[in-house]
Amino acid sequence: MSADDSELKELRDSVREFMAAKSAEDAVRKLMESEPRFDPQVWAQAADQLRLPGLVIPEEYGGDGFGPVELGVVLEEMGRSLFCSPFFSTVVLAAQALLASGDEEACARHLPGIASGRTTATLAVAEDDGSWDPALISARATPDGAGGWKLNGRKSFVIDGTTADLLLVVARTVAGPSFFAVDRTAPGVTAAAMETLDATRAMARLTFDSVTATPVGADGLGGHIMAEVLDLASVGLAAEQAGGARRCLETSADYARVRHQFGRPIGSFQAVKHKCADMLVQVELAEAAAREAARLADEGAAEFPVAAAVAHACCSRAYLFAATENIQVHGGIGFTWEHPAHLYFRRAKSSQLLFGGPAVYHERLLDRLGI
């Protein structure tokens, strides 16, 4: 199912209105210091009023069956407001991994709860080095002799890892990297919050000590599933980054209009004009890259993997640039804890590093291009 332009605008307006009411700066700051790092009541409202968790989940599993384009609109608006919620981990990572696995039984078991907003989930791939490379995974799953599996190892930088109901864990078997479903409250699972640069996106370190796990998808095909999920997640992250970058540009331009020095608005000074113009170029390019990649994903185009890698690289650069320049335009106040500029800078930097950092995603782009 695809929405037309008027429906996309209506979706954007609805989500933006919801974000303005529920994710203002004071709410974000409060949640940054709370546990869980999101408001369960607001999450329930997002599910019940806007049906956001089920947006891109197929109708047979209780969702609305929309695609990456509609998801991009929602993520842009969430990025603008630094929305603290399990949406990215649950919908962009875990739900897409379940769908990519082709495991109908696992989808039927978990996706209806995700679509309703009653189940939160996350994807546990990276370990202590932060890499999403399947070849570097050391967590292991072994048969328990009774027809089941036991999981051992550790995962780091797991988004919403201390609160997710369902953990989808990539672990190594004799056949290769594979996906496993784990209940976070299962015996042997230990979740500890990690202190990271970006307090608006909760991350955790998970330890698995002989934990009962259920296979998801075919044994040994985790690498193929990860490649597909990483492309989709990169485009989702790119949309979020583009939204944050746009917000940085808007706040810089607004401040340049009202802040006066030497009897005139600072926006009239050539240096500030150049900063805002450079930000505009980066933001427009980021939005174009993210939206084009989402469109190609929606169409199942052969060019999508390349477009996903381009969007990831382009939007990571644009967001960090815009967030940095936003601080510069605001001058001294932009460096203070009380001003929100640093919140966007922290999100921009953490997002840049989320799936391995610039060296990794540039290498991924070259790989997608066959170079």
Side-chain angles (χ1 to χ4, degrees):
M1 182 188 301
S2 297
D4 59 29
D5 290 344
S6 63
E7 290 172 327
L8 289 176
K9 183 181 184 304
E10 184 178 349
L11 174 62
R12 186 182 297 279
D13 291 343
S14 297
V15 177
R16 183 170 296 191
E17 182 180 356
F18 186 84
M19 294 297 128
K22 305 298 183 180
S23 189
E25 182 189 344
D26 57 344
V28 172
R29 287 183 179 273
K30 180 180 178 181
L31 290 171
M32 285 167 51
E33 301 175 355
S34 67
E35 186 60 39
R37 207 76 62 85
F38 69 96
D39 187 333
Q41 289 186 332
V42 172
W43 176 245
Q45 291 169 349
D48 297 338
Q49 297 175 15
L50 299 181
R51 294 180 57 83
L52 294 183
L55 182 73
V56 293
I57 291 177
E59 294 178 355
E60 59 263 38
Y61 301 121
D64 291 332
F66 288 102
V69 173
E70 292 78 13
L71 179 61
V73 169
V74 172
L75 287 167
E76 282 186 29
E77 295 305 313
M78 289 183 173
R80 285 185 85 257
S81 63
L82 299 177
F83 185 47
C84 298
S85 80
F87 185 86
F88 192 89
S89 57
T90 300
V91 178
V92 181
L93 295 178
Q96 296 304 316
L98 285 167
L99 291 169
S101 73
D103 189 327
E104 295 183 0
E105 182 181 347
C107 288
R109 183 185 307 120
H110 301 299
L111 287 179
I114 290 176
S116 69
R118 304 299 180 261
T119 298
T120 60
T122 191
L123 185 59
V125 178
E127 299 182 356
D128 289 345
D129 61 358
S131 173
W132 282 57
D133 185 345
L136 300 180
I137 290 174
S138 60
R140 292 193 173 274
T142 54
D144 62 5
W149 292 80
K150 293 295 184 181
L151 180 64
N152 290 276
R154 188 164 75 168
K155 296 292 181 179
S156 297
F157 309 104
V158 181
I159 302 175
D160 299 315
T162 62
T163 57
D165 302 308
L166 171 68
L167 307 174
L168 291 178
V169 185
V170 182
R172 186 170 298 283
T173 69
V174 173
S178 304
F179 273 77
F180 292 87
V182 175
D183 185 336
R184 183 181 52 82
T185 61
V189 178
T190 303
M194 297 180 68
E195 185 175 347
T196 58
L197 178 67
D198 177 18
T200 65
R201 175 168 276 154
M203 292 192 177
R205 179 174 287 112
L206 305 177
T207 303
F208 303 94
D209 184 7
S210 194
V211 176
T212 299
T214 304
V216 175
D219 188 17
L221 293 184
H224 297 284
I225 299 172
M226 276 182 56
E228 182 176 343
V229 173
L230 189 56
D231 282 342
L232 293 168
S234 294
V235 175
L237 181 64
E240 186 186 84
Q241 291 170 312
R246 171 66 69 175
R247 184 62 175 269
C248 289
L249 170 62
E250 293 171 352
T251 55
S252 291
D254 290 343
Y255 185 74
R257 293 186 187 100
V258 300
R259 177 72 169 103
H260 284 66
Q261 284 185 343
F262 307 108
R264 53 193 285 199
I266 63 171
S268 65
F269 296 120
Q270 197 73 13
V272 177
K273 288 181 180 179
H274 283 171
K275 286 186 179 296
C276 291
D278 290 342
M279 291 169 67
L280 176 63
V281 171
Q282 291 288 331
V283 170
E284 293 281 352
L285 183 60
E287 289 178 343
R291 293 171 184 177
E292 176 66 5
R295 183 187 67 81
L296 292 173
D298 206 27
E299 297 174 355
E303 304 91 342
F304 168 63
V306 172
V310 169
H312 189 187
C314 179
C315 294
S316 293
R317 182 184 65 246
Y319 193 8
L320 189 58
F321 178 82
T324 302
E325 293 297 88
N326 185 38
I327 293 175
Q328 295 293 324
V329 170
H330 280 84
I333 192 175
F335 286 85
T336 64
W337 179 258
E338 290 74 19
H339 197 275
H342 74 94
L343 299 179
Y344 287 88
F345 177 83
R346 290 165 181 265
R347 171 62 72 86
K349 188 62 181 177
S350 69
S351 295
Q352 180 197 43
L353 301 174
L354 185 57
F355 297 135
V360 172
Y361 59 64
H362 286 137
E363 184 68 27
R364 189 177 300 124
L365 174 57
L366 294 175
D367 179 67
R368 298 291 192 271
L369 290 169
I371 297 176

